[in-house]
Amino acid sequence: MSNTSIIRVQSSEGTKRITITSQDTFKSLYEKTAEAFAFSSYEQFTLYKEQNKKSPLQPTKLPINLRHGDLVYFVSEQSNAQSNPISSSTTTHIDFLSKLIDREEDDVDKQLDIVDGRIPREKNPQLCHHGAHGKCLHCIPIEPYDEEYLKNHKPPIKHMSFQSYLRKLQNSTNGDKFSSLKNISCSVKEKCPAGHAPWPKGICTACQPSSVTLMRQLYRHVDNIMFENGNIVDRFLNYWRSFGHQRIGFLYGRYEAYNAIPLGIRAVVAAIYEPPQETSKDEVQLVLPDPRETIAESLAHRLGLRRIGWIFTDLIPNDRKVGDGPVLHHRGNANTCFLTAQECITSGWFQNKHLNTCKYSPDGYFGSKFVTVVVTGNASGQIHFEGYQVSNQCMALVKSEILLPTYDAPELGYIKETSTEQLVPDVYYKEKDSYNNEVMKIARPLPLEYLIIDIPTGFPSNSNLQIQSTFNDNCSVIKTPFCIENRVKTGELQDMDAFTLYLQQFLETKSVRSQSKSYEIIDVLADFHVLLYLATNDIVPFSMNELNPLLDSIRQHDLNGVEKWMTSPHWQTLLQLLQLQFPTTNRKSHTNVDEQSSEWICSRCTFVNNVASEQCDMCSFEQNVSS
């Protein structure tokens, strides 16, 4: 009888024992392993002698040179394809991570991905004793995540950028070891490979979610929020000023590199879209679904914009005259309550809906760049803007629906308890006790500062004046901007009357055009709310195919392109309709508003006459006589 040995085969599903004899070959070992793991063919997996997958065992007819009790590692072809690292011949600064999925990242991530990122330092005359072209410990460039640099920066950088965090992972990983950014899961895995009944009838360590210890996130996906100009939020705040109700809007803009923080990213807001909502002095509730959402997204995409965040007001009038300003922080103390639990949950819901594409994560995404802006009152009663995100841990809690608001303490959250419907993992946070010892506490209740990341928010400074607004918010001609959508309560209706009055502002300036150049032709239609009205009105709706040339011209700031679009039959039809409905509207094309009027329109038959003619050449009706 041949001598037998036991070989242990370890896989992601567990370890199995394979009995072999001295007559067996590596091919027979593969065949027995396939039978043990219920695979139809041994070509569907690979056996490795070492865990780092450096020594694959080939299914040959050579005798097995393994000893009794040896451990080999089983990797299926599917797992192998997902975990196979990129060749070292690719870009060196990312070879520490496995590019598990070929994903199309944001342009700003691609831009920062190829930047060196290290912070240069000048030669220290006291400590550096080398030549002008030399480097030493005191002047060599430092990494963008250097703690001393972030701490001593003016002002101090509280959170490193996400790209800096990636560089930190790179330099802390050994060359033979590969890392990936894993998303947190607080839910039971579906279809457990163990084959037991689903929760609550069955559970095992393979499908049970791990406990979570909440930590303050060291990095943030967006490092700064900037509005292109103040008129954007001024129009948004007019709803609260005129009606006293709180308001929600979605921010449309773009992401760009932010040089004030190493490898930083800034969210630039170009427009605010206000969805249907039920408002009051104390709360706002979105009305879903939004019938205009798809069109708004299509317009923004063609303009090179995207939905990058949401904004809401948190204001009440300062009737008690506390402080010097006109408003109060709606929830009381601005220094103790940043976001309520309900607002954190809403932010987490939005961030889960707008995930950040990341090629280093096996899921294809990691975190989110979606931001939250709160318009509230500061300590002196002045209106100011606060920017936030919630952490990736908070996103996981919200996705699994286990984070709840509290009834009487808005600054606290509460973790749901396990029930027959849902298994909830233990969630902890750390704090110091009365003896200054760090202790673990169950997150019932939960201080929300563990979940919140603050982001500086503001407007262009004098050094940023070269930033060009996407839309016409800074146009001096516009005294009455076009109505904003979904404001029926305040009497702002997007209709032909409002659109005519909006266009009339440009026509009325022809008499003073010789004094200064008040506007450009692109300013007439470079308004997100005007474009949305053109696409959604019921009288002369414009399709996306008809609007695309105009949107391209606005995105490229092409005055000739806008002028050419204004000669299109559909736009001229709309102008003609406005003239028939409102005879006082000047028929002259916007493309020629710079020229002095040389024609007049008969109010009876609408024939265009020469300015020298006192009577209509068509119907003999006298000029300046009402019909």
Side-chain angles (χ1 to χ4, degrees):
M1 182 177 178
S2 302
N3 294 330
T4 61
S5 302
I6 301 295
I7 302 297
R8 295 174 298 156
V9 180
Q10 186 182 80
S11 73
S12 59
E13 299 180 5
T15 302
K16 295 185 181 295
R17 298 171 183 243
I18 307 297
T19 303
I20 62 173
T21 67
S22 58
Q23 306 299 322
D24 281 330
T25 62
F26 281 108
K27 183 179 180 180
S28 59
L29 174 62
Y30 265 84
E31 292 172 346
K32 292 182 178 181
T33 305
E35 182 181 354
F37 283 90
F39 276 72
S40 59
S41 171
Y42 64 77
E43 295 179 352
Q44 296 176 327
F45 61 89
T46 304
L47 298 178
Y48 293 89
K49 193 172 182 180
E50 298 177 2
Q51 192 172 8
N52 59 12
K53 306 177 187 177
K54 278 194 169 184
S55 304
L57 301 175
Q58 303 298 333
T60 63
K61 294 184 178 181
L62 295 177
I64 300 176
N65 57 354
L66 299 176
R67 295 180 297 178
H68 176 73
D70 279 354
L71 180 66
V72 297
Y73 299 92
F74 174 102
V75 179
S76 65
E77 287 301 319
Q78 181 179 1
S79 300
N80 206 13
Q82 290 181 344
S83 61
N84 186 29
I86 297 298
S87 170
S88 60
S89 61
T90 58
T91 310
T92 56
H93 80 278
I94 57 172
D95 61 1
F96 74 105
L97 286 176
S98 177
K99 293 185 180 179
L100 302 173
I101 297 180
D102 185 14
R103 290 277 177 163
E104 186 70 21
E105 294 186 303
D106 294 338
D107 291 338
V108 66
D109 290 323
K110 295 178 183 178
Q111 176 186 347
L112 295 175
D113 198 37
I114 61 177
V115 174
D116 177 70
R118 290 182 296 176
I119 304 164
R121 292 190 294 176
E122 298 292 335
K123 180 180 178 181
N124 191 317
Q126 296 179 345
L127 300 176
C128 300
H129 304 291
H130 49 75
H133 300 288
K135 290 291 182 181
C136 69
L137 182 64
H138 305 289
C139 62
I140 191 172
I142 58 177
E143 297 293 343
Y145 52 83
D146 184 84
E147 293 184 5
E148 286 299 319
Y149 173 82
L150 299 178
K151 182 179 179 181
N152 298 325
H153 190 274
K154 294 182 181 179
I157 300 174
K158 187 176 179 181
H159 302 275
M160 73 178 77
S161 66
F162 179 62
Q163 288 290 335
S164 297
Y165 176 70
L166 290 179
R167 306 298 171 89
K168 184 176 182 180
L169 289 182
Q170 166 193 352
N171 292 342
S172 62
T173 307
N174 298 327
D176 295 336
K177 182 181 177 182
F178 288 84
S179 311
S180 62
L181 299 174
K182 295 182 179 179
N183 292 287
I184 304 170
S185 175
C186 298
S187 302
V188 176
K189 293 181 182 179
E190 298 181 357
K191 298 180 181 180
C192 180
H196 58 71
W199 173 266
K201 296 182 178 180
I203 193 70
C204 70
T205 56
C207 61
Q208 180 180 357
S210 303
S211 60
V212 179
T213 300
L214 298 178
M215 307 286 289
R216 289 182 174 88
Q217 192 164 292
L218 301 177
Y219 60 90
R220 55 189 172 197
H221 292 273
V222 174
D223 304 286
N224 185 265
I225 304 171
M226 185 184 74
F227 293 88
E228 285 187 345
N229 57 76
N231 292 329
I232 298 174
V233 291
D234 195 57
R235 294 176 67 181
F236 174 72
L237 289 176
N238 283 338
Y239 185 89
W240 175 81
R241 294 189 182 109
S242 61
F243 205 57
H245 286 193
Q246 309 303 329
R247 194 68 173 167
I248 285 178
F250 289 122
L251 306 176
Y252 281 89
R254 61 190 179 274
Y255 299 110
E256 63 182 23
Y258 180 54
N259 297 328
I261 290 180
L263 300 176
I265 294 177
R266 175 165 60 189
V268 181
V269 181
I272 300 177
Y273 166 69
E274 300 179 17
Q277 52 196 286
E278 294 293 335
T279 64
S280 69
K281 294 182 179 180
D282 300 317
E283 63 180 5
V284 184
Q285 184 175 356
L286 293 176
V287 178
L288 300 175
D290 179 5
R292 299 185 182 182
E293 181 178 11
T294 303
I295 297 177
E297 290 290 317
S298 300
L299 290 173
H301 178 74
R302 194 75 184 195
L303 290 165
L305 307 175
R306 59 189 289 189
R307 187 177 293 188
I308 62 174
W310 70 303
I311 183 173
F312 65 91
T313 58
D314 173 33
L315 299 166
I316 56 174
N318 187 8
D319 298 329
R320 295 176 293 169
K321 305 301 179 183
V322 179
D324 302 327
V327 298
L328 293 174
H329 189 274
H330 187 267
R331 291 158 293 187
N333 190 347
N335 296 321
T336 58
C337 185
F338 304 103
L339 289 178
T340 66
Q342 186 62 59
E343 292 161 358
C344 282
I345 294 171
T346 306
S347 297
W349 186 82
F350 280 132
Q351 289 182 208
N352 278 308
K353 195 176 178 182
H354 300 83
L355 297 170
N356 176 52
T357 304
C358 183
K359 61 187 176 184
Y360 302 128
S361 171
D363 301 313
Y365 65 87
F366 189 77
S368 173
K369 293 191 184 79
F370 200 84
V371 299
T372 298
V373 177
V374 186
V375 188
T376 184
N378 57 17
S380 60
Q382 302 295 332
I383 291 178
H384 82 128
F385 302 85
E386 300 174 353
Y388 298 103
Q389 277 192 308
V390 294
S391 65
N392 292 6
Q393 288 183 325
C394 181
M395 289 175 60
L397 298 178
V398 172
K399 184 178 181 180
S400 300
E401 300 181 353
I402 62 174
L403 177 62
L404 304 175
T406 54
Y407 179 74
D408 55 350
E411 71 277 5
L412 298 177
Y414 195 87
I415 299 299
K416 185 189 296 185
E417 298 184 12
T418 297
S419 65
T420 55
E421 289 79 20
Q422 183 178 12
L423 174 65
V424 179
D426 293 329
V427 180
Y428 302 95
Y429 67 94
K430 295 180 181 180
E431 70 173 10
K432 292 186 177 181
D433 60 12
S434 57
Y435 299 99
N436 206 32
N437 296 320
E438 197 172 63
V439 295
M440 297 274 287
K441 301 193 70 174
I442 193 73
R444 299 188 183 101
L446 162 67
L448 294 176
E449 55 262 28
Y450 285 89
L451 309 178
I452 298 173
I453 303 167
D454 62 303
I455 305 174
T457 305
F459 302 87
S461 60
N462 293 332
S463 59
N464 299 125
L465 292 179
Q466 70 276 13
I467 295 178
Q468 183 178 14
S469 294
T470 306
F471 299 108
N472 61 7
D473 300 282
N474 285 331
C475 181
S476 59
V477 171
I478 304 175
K479 304 302 181 184
T480 305
F482 186 63
C483 300
I484 295 178
E485 59 281 342
N486 301 312
R487 286 193 176 184
V488 180
K489 280 190 176 182
T490 59
E492 298 182 50
L493 298 177
Q494 287 189 339
D495 54 16
M496 286 298 176
D497 290 346
F499 191 52
T500 302
L501 293 175
Y502 169 77
L503 294 179
Q504 190 70 32
Q505 298 176 97
F506 296 94
L507 298 175
E508 290 173 351
T509 60
K510 64 180 182 295
S511 60
V512 296
R513 290 280 290 172
S514 58
Q515 301 178 7
S516 62
K517 188 175 182 181
S518 305
Y519 69 95
E520 296 177 321
I521 193 65
I522 197 173
D523 291 330
V524 177
L525 295 175
D527 185 307
F528 189 80
H529 309 288
V530 168
L531 296 172
L532 186 62
Y533 174 71
L534 291 178
T536 58
N537 76 89
D538 297 328
I539 300 177
V540 187
F542 288 73
S543 66
M544 286 304 301
N545 289 334
E546 293 167 330
L547 286 175
N548 284 340
L550 172 63
L551 301 177
D552 294 338
S553 299
I554 294 175
R555 185 184 73 250
Q556 300 165 7
H557 202 76
D558 180 8
L559 303 183
N560 293 330
V562 176
E563 186 173 342
K564 180 179 179 181
W565 186 88
M566 285 183 170
T567 62
S568 64
H570 214 59
W571 173 253
Q572 292 298 324
T573 300
L574 177 59
L575 289 184
Q576 184 67 28
L577 179 61
L578 296 180
Q579 292 160 9
L580 293 174
Q581 191 171 355
F582 306 98
T584 57
T585 302
N586 194 321
R587 183 183 183 276
K588 190 162 183 63
S589 171
H590 291 293
T591 61
N592 299 317
V593 293
D594 291 341
E595 303 174 3
Q596 296 294 327
S597 178
S598 60
E599 301 168 342
W600 63 276
I601 306 170
C602 177
S603 59
R604 172 181 290 175
C605 67
T606 72
F607 183 77
V608 180
N609 299 274
N610 189 282
V611 69
S613 302
E614 296 183 359
Q615 292 184 342
C616 177
D617 295 336
M618 180 62 67
C619 66
S620 300
F621 193 72
E622 292 184 3
Q623 185 180 2
N624 298 326
V625 176
S626 175
S627 59

